[in-house]
């Protein structure tokens, strides 16, 4: 059932509507009901609806809900803005002389392109400025600038002059590969729509009658420009968002867009009036949790004022825990989760949220110690795993033979004895010929490839297999395309590459199987599926799209948790310098407001119980001893503490600690019993995974871990979390 305010939001007759939807106020229900209302009452055709969501997961959820209410609604476009642009460009990119079989580069691929540019300029391939340059280019594109708009800029800074030159080369390389990065999807779409001569804007004005945008507070200026280009004089605009939850300004989000919406629309249509409806009834959290959230966000000035009203009861008091050391804080979290589970709480109803990914190290140690199952999200996404990226590179070559960055990725996967010098020769020759590497290998006789015959034959065999499957997929019925694609990967002997590391082979094979299961699921569930669309979906995944169900504790950054909810939430390491970040504290009040909005999001993820913890350890990350977050005071959390916690006042800060002492005895007494470590011994660590011993120092061993994010670590050789792997 909808409340009166929600009904007003669903049935409004205004052409321009702004729904200010507080956390847990039922915005997804309102947005879903609005679409259903338009269709059921003949106010719109499904094909005339464009619904923009923040994630693919949200789009799928809303579409499924609408289809349960209304038959025949499958023609509506309900997707992320990048997905819509990708589909638009498949049909319209010929207007800017771009091929429709373009590849979408993710961040990793874009960095590989830039790495090649740096190396070509004599820079090291691990130059720290590679990522900095990519980020600079992306920031310019998010401001609406392409290279051509900046080429005459006279930067005084030599680094920026270099970046501008690299921007030109980056653009050229993408064009040569028929590739677009995420930012290009928007900018190329805008370029086509702004050209009055091609008639494309008029065509889409006639097609789109309603534009509905979810999470409107997080769109940027370029995205808003695109929406306004699609907005005809008769089109209705319906946006849902909450300025108090704008947490992506660091990547271009502009919360002034939702705040100043009427002013912006009037610049296009002077007679426009925007109706504002505020959803302020929260159906998610207890009164206690909402009281803290409301009190915290009141300290922000840049917002549309509202006060969330609870529909739940008071609930339990918020728990605040102060620890002297990071390890004590992690121990508290793990012990409390263990207690909750013993009392009947499922692990899946528990989440640990934190400001930054590096904070999980101590947490993971304690969760492993207490044998608590957990899963981390927001780190390495499924579609970013090496084996998945390899498979995607092979499959993208079926679509686009210009995809050099993909071919160079897998040219020696599995091993074909193609070293860097051999690859350099091939790239030089293909460039001399004016061909992509793939077309060069396809069209050059084996005797004319400048490599030893065995190597040349292995490459020709690879290309022959891909070409054969290109025809098979083109002519196959959709139901068997996933089977054919999987057979191609098998025939390319990719399993040999997976077996190179016997310690991870099973997990990596399972991931590849999971990928093809996802592909089959797509073909089984989508009307008129296409291979190109599936590859687009893979390229446009977000970290939330990886979130899955299972009985484990969820660990994620607050950014990743946006839009999710859990019965029990632990807000971990809530310390000044970490949350709010040191950078925000040093830079500006505006940045502090963003951090406060992020804390507001964190608090409102909790439905029943919120646990807040901080420590006063020395942090090498911020360079000083930690203190409780200023947001603790601002939220008035000290007034809502559980009675089982003992009240203490010290240095004007109020905090609570448990009356019981947590037992950490296993950390001291439990050992692995291993005393005979040697260099090159293989190691399995419960948290860091597999690695090799590179040095033995009395009671310590130095281990280089296979996973690069953990690198090299010095460990106590007898620690119970370390195991020797027998050959």
């Amino acid at each position: 059932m909808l409340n009166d305010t929600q009904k007003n939001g669903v049935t409004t007759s205004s052409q321009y509507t702004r729904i200010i939807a507080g956390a847990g106020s039922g915005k997804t229900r309102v947005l879903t009901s609005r679409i259903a209302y338009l269709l059921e009452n003949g106010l719109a055709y499904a094909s005339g609806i464009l619904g923009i969501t923040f994630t693919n997961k949200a789009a799928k959820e809303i579409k499924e809900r609408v289809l349960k209410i209304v038959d025949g609604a499958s023609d509506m476009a309900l997707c992320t803005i990048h997905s819509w642009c990708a589909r638009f460009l498949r049909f319209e990119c010929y207007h800017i002389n771009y091929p429709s079989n373009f590849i979408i580069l993710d961040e990793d691929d874009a960095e590989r392109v830039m790495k090649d540019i740096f190396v070509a300029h004599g820079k090291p391939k691990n130059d720290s400025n590679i990522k900095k340059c990519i980020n600079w280019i992306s920031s310019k594109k998010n401001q609406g600038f392409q290279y051509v708009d900046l080429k005459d800029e006279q930067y005084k800074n030599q680094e920026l002059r270099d970046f501008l030159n690299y921007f030109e080369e980056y653009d050229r390389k993408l064009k040569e590969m028929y590739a677009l990065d995420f930012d290009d999807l928007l900018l190329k779409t805008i370029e086509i729509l702004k050209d009055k001569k091609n008639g494309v804007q008029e065509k889409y004005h006639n097609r789109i009658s309603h534009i509905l945008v979810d999470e409107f507070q997080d769109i940027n200026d370029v995205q808003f420009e695109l929406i306004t280009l699609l907005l005809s004089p008769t089109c209705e605009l319906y946006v849902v968002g909450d300025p108090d939850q704008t947490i992506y300004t660091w990547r271009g989000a502009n919360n002034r867009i939702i705040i100043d919406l009427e002013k912006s629309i009037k610049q296009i249509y002077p007679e426009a009036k925007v109706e504002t409806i505020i959803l302020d009834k929260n159906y998610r959290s207890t009164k206690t949790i909402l009281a803290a959230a409301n009190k915290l966000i009141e300290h922000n000035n840049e917002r549309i004022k509202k006060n969330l009203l609870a529909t739940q009861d008071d609930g339990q008091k918020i728990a605040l825990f102060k620890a002297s050391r990071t390890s004590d804080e992690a121990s508290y979290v793990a012990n409390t989760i263990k207690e909750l589970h013993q009392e009947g709480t499922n692990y899946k109803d528990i989440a640990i949220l934190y400001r930054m990914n590096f904070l999980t190290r101590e947490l993971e140690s304690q969760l492993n110690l207490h044998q608590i199952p957990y899963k981390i999200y927001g780190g390495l996404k499924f579609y970013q795993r090496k084996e998945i990226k390899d498979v995607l590179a092979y499959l993208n070559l079926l679509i686009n033979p210009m995809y050099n960055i993909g071919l160079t990725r897998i040219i020696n996967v599995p091993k074909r004895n193609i070293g860097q010098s051999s690859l350099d020769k091939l790239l030089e020759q293909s460039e001399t010929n004016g061909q992509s590497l793939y077309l060069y290998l396809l069209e050059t006789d084996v005797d004319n490839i400048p490599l030893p015959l065995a190597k040349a034959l292995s490459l020709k065999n690879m290309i022959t297999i891909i070409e054969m499957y290109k025809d098979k997929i083109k002519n196959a019925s959709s139901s068997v395309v996933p089977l054919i694609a999987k057979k191609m990967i098998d025939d390319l002997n990719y399993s040999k590459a997976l077996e190179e590391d016997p310690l991870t082979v099973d997990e990596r094979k399972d991931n590849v199987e999971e990928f093809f299961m996802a592909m089959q699921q797509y073909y089984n569930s989508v009307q008129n599926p296409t291979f190109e669309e599936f590859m687009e979906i893979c390229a446009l995944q977000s970290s939330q799209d990886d979130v899955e169900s299972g009985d484990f504790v969820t660990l994620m950054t607050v950014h990743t948790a946006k839009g999710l909810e859990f019965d029990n939430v632990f807000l971990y390491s809530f310390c000044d310098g970490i949350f709010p970040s040191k950078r925000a504290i040093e830079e500006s009040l505006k940045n502090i407001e963003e951090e406060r909005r992020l804390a507001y999001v964190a608090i409102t993820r909790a439905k029943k119980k919120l646990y807040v913890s901080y420590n006063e350890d020395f942090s090498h990350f911020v360079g000083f001893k930690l203190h409780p977050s200023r947001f603790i005071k601002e939220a008035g959390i000290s007034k809502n503490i559980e009675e089982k916690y003992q009240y203490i006042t010290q240095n004007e800060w109020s905090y609570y600690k448990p009356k019981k002492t947590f037992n950490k005895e296993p950390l001291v007494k439990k050992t692995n019993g291993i005393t005979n470590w040697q260099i090159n011994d293989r190691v399995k660590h419960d948290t860091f995974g597999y690695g090799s011993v590179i040095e033995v120092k009395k009671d310590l061993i130095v281990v280089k871990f296979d996973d690069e994010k953990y690198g090299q670590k010095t460990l106590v050789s007898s620690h119970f979390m370390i195991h020797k792997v027998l050959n």
Side-chain angles (χ1 to χ4, degrees):
M1 290 289 292
L2 299 171
N3 65 38
D4 290 342
T5 309
Q6 290 173 331
K7 284 178 184 176
N8 290 339
V10 169
T11 61
T12 178
S13 58
S14 298
Q15 183 173 2
Y16 308 105
T17 306
R18 175 178 63 176
I19 305 292
I20 303 300
S25 62
K27 74 174 181 65
T28 303
R29 173 181 290 182
V30 169
L31 187 57
T32 302
S33 299
R34 174 63 177 176
I35 296 171
Y37 174 80
L38 293 172
L39 295 172
E40 282 184 314
N41 291 277
L43 299 172
Y45 292 108
S47 59
I49 290 178
L50 170 58
I52 300 296
T53 62
F54 199 66
T55 65
N56 297 298
K57 185 178 180 181
K60 182 180 179 182
E61 178 184 351
I62 293 171
K63 193 164 190 174
E64 286 175 350
R65 289 192 191 184
V66 172
L67 290 172
K68 286 180 180 177
I69 302 170
V70 185
D71 291 331
S74 57
D75 287 344
M76 61 184 171
L78 196 54
C79 53
T80 66
I81 199 164
H82 290 93
S83 296
W84 189 85
C85 289
R87 294 173 197 176
F88 171 92
L89 290 170
R90 295 289 178 201
F91 292 100
E92 309 294 350
C93 61
Y94 70 90
H95 290 289
I96 54 172
N97 298 315
Y98 223 86
S100 61
N101 63 331
F102 60 83
I103 294 294
I104 301 171
L105 297 188
D106 61 17
E107 293 176 7
D108 181 55
D109 289 332
E111 278 192 39
R112 286 171 66 90
V113 174
M114 188 55 69
K115 186 183 292 185
D116 289 345
I117 294 170
F118 268 61
V119 170
H121 282 268
K123 309 278 187 182
K125 63 181 179 180
N126 58 349
D127 194 312
S128 60
N129 279 333
I130 292 172
K131 192 171 185 68
K132 188 176 179 182
C133 183
I134 281 291
N135 289 339
W136 181 80
I137 290 172
S138 182
S139 71
K140 292 301 177 186
K141 289 184 177 183
N142 274 301
Q143 295 169 34
F145 298 121
Q146 286 279 27
Y147 168 75
V148 69
D149 303 310
L150 302 172
K151 62 185 180 68
D152 296 325
E153 289 287 329
Q154 300 296 317
Y155 292 112
K156 294 181 181 180
N157 184 300
Q158 180 60 48
E159 183 180 82
L160 292 183
R161 291 200 295 272
D162 289 341
F163 284 3
L164 185 59
N165 291 332
Y166 299 158
F167 194 172
E168 180 182 21
E169 291 185 47
Y170 176 78
D171 261 9
R172 177 176 55 79
K173 282 185 173 290
L174 262 60
K175 288 173 184 173
E176 289 172 354
M177 290 191 296
Y178 300 164
L180 298 172
D181 62 24
F182 274 32
D183 299 318
D184 288 331
L185 294 174
L186 295 166
L187 293 179
K188 299 295 185 187
T189 299
I190 288 171
E191 182 182 346
I192 293 169
L193 288 171
K194 288 176 80 171
D195 185 350
K196 302 299 182 184
K197 298 176 184 177
N198 60 28
V200 174
Q201 186 185 42
E202 183 181 359
K203 177 170 71 174
Y204 283 84
H205 279 182
N206 292 331
R207 182 178 297 177
I208 299 171
S209 62
H210 292 76
I211 300 174
L212 303 97
V213 187
D214 192 16
E215 304 288 5
F216 192 68
Q217 78 281 346
D218 284 324
I219 70 167
N220 61 33
D221 293 337
V222 171
Q223 292 166 346
F224 186 58
E225 181 182 7
L226 172 58
I227 290 166
T228 55
L229 284 169
L230 294 171
L231 194 63
S232 68
T234 58
C235 183
E236 292 188 5
L237 178 65
Y238 187 95
V239 304
V240 182
D242 181 6
D244 288 339
Q245 297 187 68
T246 304
I247 61 173
Y248 292 104
T249 60
W250 51 276
R251 66 184 190 196
N254 181 359
N255 71 330
R256 295 306 311 181
I257 294 173
I258 188 170
I259 293 172
D260 299 331
L261 182 63
E262 182 163 286
K263 188 189 300 183
S264 300
I265 297 295
K266 279 183 177 293
Q267 291 176 2
I268 309 168
Y269 303 113
E271 302 302 317
K273 290 185 179 179
V274 175
E275 180 184 10
T276 297
I277 297 171
I278 297 178
L279 305 182
D280 56 7
K281 283 189 178 179
N282 177 286
Y283 294 91
R284 175 190 300 158
S285 307
T286 65
K287 286 182 181 177
T288 299
I289 292 169
L290 288 186
N294 285 330
K295 191 166 185 177
L296 173 67
I297 204 63
E298 282 174 3
H299 289 79
N300 272 12
N301 295 315
E302 200 168 80
R303 62 189 296 256
I304 295 173
K305 292 191 180 296
K306 67 178 185 309
N307 200 52
L308 288 179
L309 306 173
T311 58
Q312 307 293 332
D313 57 20
D314 288 345
Q316 299 181 55
K317 292 180 180 179
I318 295 172
L320 178 64
F321 180 73
K322 173 237 176 180
S324 299
R325 299 178 302 174
T326 305
S327 58
D328 295 335
E329 184 183 4
S331 175
Y332 155 74
V333 171
N335 273 283
T336 306
I337 290 173
K338 199 73 175 177
E339 285 183 353
L340 285 171
H341 186 63
Q342 289 169 350
E343 292 166 3
T345 301
N346 293 321
Y347 287 127
K348 67 181 180 181
D349 295 324
I350 301 171
I352 306 174
L353 308 183
Y354 37 81
R355 179 65 181 83
M356 303 165 190
N357 278 311
F358 79 88
L359 294 166
T360 66
R361 185 187 64 80
E362 196 71 53
L363 269 175
E364 291 188 70
S365 296
Q366 286 292 331
L367 293 172
N368 282 319
L369 170 63
H370 291 83
Q371 297 182 325
I372 296 171
Y374 66 92
K375 194 158 190 173
I376 298 178
Y377 293 100
L380 189 64
K381 297 187 289 185
F382 178 79
Y383 286 93
Q384 291 295 318
R385 294 170 186 170
K386 181 186 182 304
E387 58 273 17
I388 304 304
K389 294 275 290 180
D390 290 344
V391 171
L392 286 170
Y394 272 120
L395 296 182
N396 271 317
L397 288 169
L398 294 169
I399 303 169
N400 183 353
M402 309 302 289
Y403 185 37
N404 264 19
I405 201 73
L407 182 51
T408 57
R409 178 188 180 89
I410 48 82
I411 198 165
N412 203 39
V413 183
K415 289 191 185 305
R416 299 184 179 93
N417 297 316
I418 309 297
Q420 190 59 50
S421 60
S422 296
L423 181 56
D424 289 342
K425 286 179 187 177
L426 295 173
L427 289 169
E428 182 181 355
Q429 191 60 53
S430 63
E431 193 168 333
T432 300
N433 289 7
Q435 295 176 292
S436 71
L437 180 56
Y438 185 92
L439 291 177
Y440 167 73
L441 292 172
L442 175 66
E443 297 173 1
T444 303
D445 291 336
V446 69
D447 295 333
N448 294 327
I449 295 176
L451 295 178
L453 183 60
K455 293 183 180 182
L457 283 170
S458 70
L459 292 180
K460 290 293 283 188
N461 180 58
M462 175 186 71
I463 299 296
T464 300
I465 292 172
I466 294 172
E467 285 294 303
M468 177 180 69
Y469 279 95
K470 186 183 295 185
D471 290 335
K472 286 187 176 184
I473 284 178
K474 183 178 179 181
N475 299 317
S477 61
S478 61
S479 61
V480 297
V481 167
L483 297 175
I484 295 173
K486 185 176 185 302
K487 185 68 166 59
M488 183 186 88
I489 298 301
D490 291 341
D491 285 357
L492 286 163
N493 204 19
Y494 182 68
S495 61
K496 185 178 177 183
L498 299 178
E499 291 164 359
E500 288 172 7
D501 185 353
L503 298 177
T504 63
V505 60
D506 290 338
E507 179 184 353
R508 295 175 68 195
K509 280 185 174 180
D510 287 346
N511 287 337
V512 173
E513 287 293 329
E514 179 69 23
F515 171 83
F516 284 108
M517 284 173 63
M519 190 177 187
Q520 189 68 63
Q521 185 178 22
Y522 161 80
Y523 273 92
N524 291 343
S525 60
V526 174
Q527 285 188 341
N528 303 316
T530 67
F531 188 71
E532 290 79 6
E533 183 181 57
F534 174 74
M535 298 301 287
E536 270 177 24
I537 291 170
C538 295
L540 297 171
Q541 291 291 307
S542 74
S543 55
Q544 272 204 7
D545 294 322
D546 272 349
V547 176
E548 59 190 54
S549 59
D551 196 26
F552 45 73
V553 175
T554 297
L555 276 66
M556 58 176 62
T557 64
V558 182
H559 282 101
T560 304
K562 177 79 163 25
L564 303 177
E565 58 184 42
F566 301 88
D567 284 352
N568 304 275
V569 169
F570 288 80
L571 183 47
Y572 178 74
S573 203
F574 207 29
C575 312
D576 258 20
I578 292 177
F579 201 169
S581 69
K582 180 183 178 184
R583 181 177 176 181
I585 293 169
E586 293 172 347
E587 287 186 349
S588 70
L589 180 63
K590 184 176 181 180
N591 288 343
I592 289 290
E593 289 213 351
E594 167 114 356
E595 292 285 304
R596 192 176 285 114
R597 290 193 295 267
L598 189 60
Y600 174 82
V601 168
I603 291 170
T604 54
R605 298 312 93 197
K607 295 166 68 177
K608 296 180 179 178
K609 186 65 186 287
L610 177 65
Y611 300 82
V612 178
S613 62
Y614 67 93
N615 69 79
E616 293 187 336
D617 214 341
F618 180 84
S619 170
H620 293 283
F621 178 78
V622 299
F624 52 74
K625 189 177 180 183
L626 294 171
H627 301 285
S629 170
R630 63 194 65 193
F631 298 151
I632 291 174
K633 246 185 179 180
E634 292 179 1
I637 286 176
S638 61
K639 298 176 183 178
N640 300 295
I641 295 298
E642 285 187 324
E643 292 178 359
K644 72 174 183 177
Y645 285 76
Q646 177 185 351
Y647 182 72
I648 295 176
T649 301
Q650 179 180 328
N651 298 331
E652 76 177 283
W653 281 98
S654 297
Y655 64 87
Y656 288 74
K657 69 177 185 178
K659 294 178 179 177
K660 61 180 278 189
T661 300
F662 291 114
N663 177 24
K664 296 195 292 180
E665 185 179 1
L667 284 174
V668 178
K669 292 190 173 180
K670 194 173 179 181
T671 69
N672 60 23
I674 303 171
T675 57
N676 58 338
W677 287 106
Q678 296 181 13
I679 292 175
N680 295 326
D681 278 350
R682 288 292 288 170
V683 170
K684 181 182 183 298
H685 190 283
D686 289 345
T687 298
F688 309 133
Y690 292 96
S692 297
V693 176
I694 60 173
E695 189 176 351
V696 180
K697 308 177 181 176
K698 199 175 180 182
D699 297 328
L700 303 173
I701 55 174
V702 181
V703 178
K704 183 176 182 182
F705 287 97
D706 298 347
D707 191 328
E708 292 180 359
K709 72 178 179 181
Y710 295 122
Q712 180 177 307
K713 295 186 182 295
T714 302
L715 306 168
V716 177
S717 62
S718 60
H719 198 281
F720 69 94
M721 294 180 73
I722 302 170
H723 315 280
K724 183 182 288 191
V725 179
L726 300 177
N727 294 326

